C-alpha cells in the first residue's frame, strides 16, 4: 500500500522482483500513482500480466489480461486460468 505523497518502500527490490517474474498479477489499483504504477513495465517481454479492478484503467492486449471484477471474483478466475495452462 502506498499513500499519495509517500515514497514507495523498497522500490528497487520490487523492480528486481518484477524483472524476474514469470507472471504478474495486479489487483485493485487505479494505475495512476507513480512510480508504483510503472512497475509492470519492468516485467520481461511476453510475461503475462493480469489486471483485476472493478473499474479498470488499462487496455488489454496480447499480454495484458484485464478482469473488470472485484478482487474476490477476479482473483479466483486468474488462479483457475493459471492452473489450467
Amino acid at each position: 500500500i502506498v499513500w499519495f505523497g509517500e515514497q514507495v518502500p523498497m522500490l528497487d527490490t520490487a523492480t528486481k522482483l518484477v524483472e524476474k517474474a514469470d507472471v504478474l498479477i495486479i489487483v485493485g489499483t487505479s494505475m495512476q500513482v507513480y512510480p508504483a504504477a510503472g512497475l509492470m513495465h519492468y516485467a520481461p517481454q511476453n510475461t503475462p500480466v493480469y489486471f483485476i479492478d472493478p473499474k479498470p484503467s488499462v487496455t488489454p492486449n496480447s499480454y495484458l489480461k484485464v478482469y473488470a471484477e472485484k478482487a474476490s471474483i477476479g482473483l479466483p478466475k486468474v488462479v483457475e486460468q493459471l492452473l489450467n495452462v
Side-chain angles (χ1 to χ4, degrees):
I1 296 174
V2 179
W3 303 105
F4 287 100
E6 284 188 335
Q7 292 294 324
V8 177
M10 299 180 67
L11 182 61
D12 291 336
T13 301
T15 300
K16 289 175 185 168
L17 289 169
V18 172
E19 287 174 342
K20 297 176 186 177
D22 295 321
V23 173
L24 184 60
I25 302 171
I26 303 166
V27 182
T29 178
S30 67
M31 295 298 287
Q32 303 300 309
V33 181
Y34 284 84
L39 281 172
M40 74 177 207
H41 301 295
Y42 288 92
Q45 187 174 4
N46 303 333
T47 297
V49 178
Y50 298 88
F51 181 80
I52 305 164
D53 190 81
K55 297 179 183 176
S57 59
V58 296
T59 304
N61 60 42
S62 60
Y63 295 102
L64 175 62
K65 307 297 183 215
V66 177
Y67 292 78
E69 316 253 10
K70 293 180 179 180
S72 61
I73 296 170
L75 197 51
K77 288 181 180 181
V78 170
V79 169
E80 182 177 332
Q81 183 174 352
L82 291 172
L83 290 174
N84 290 324
V85 171

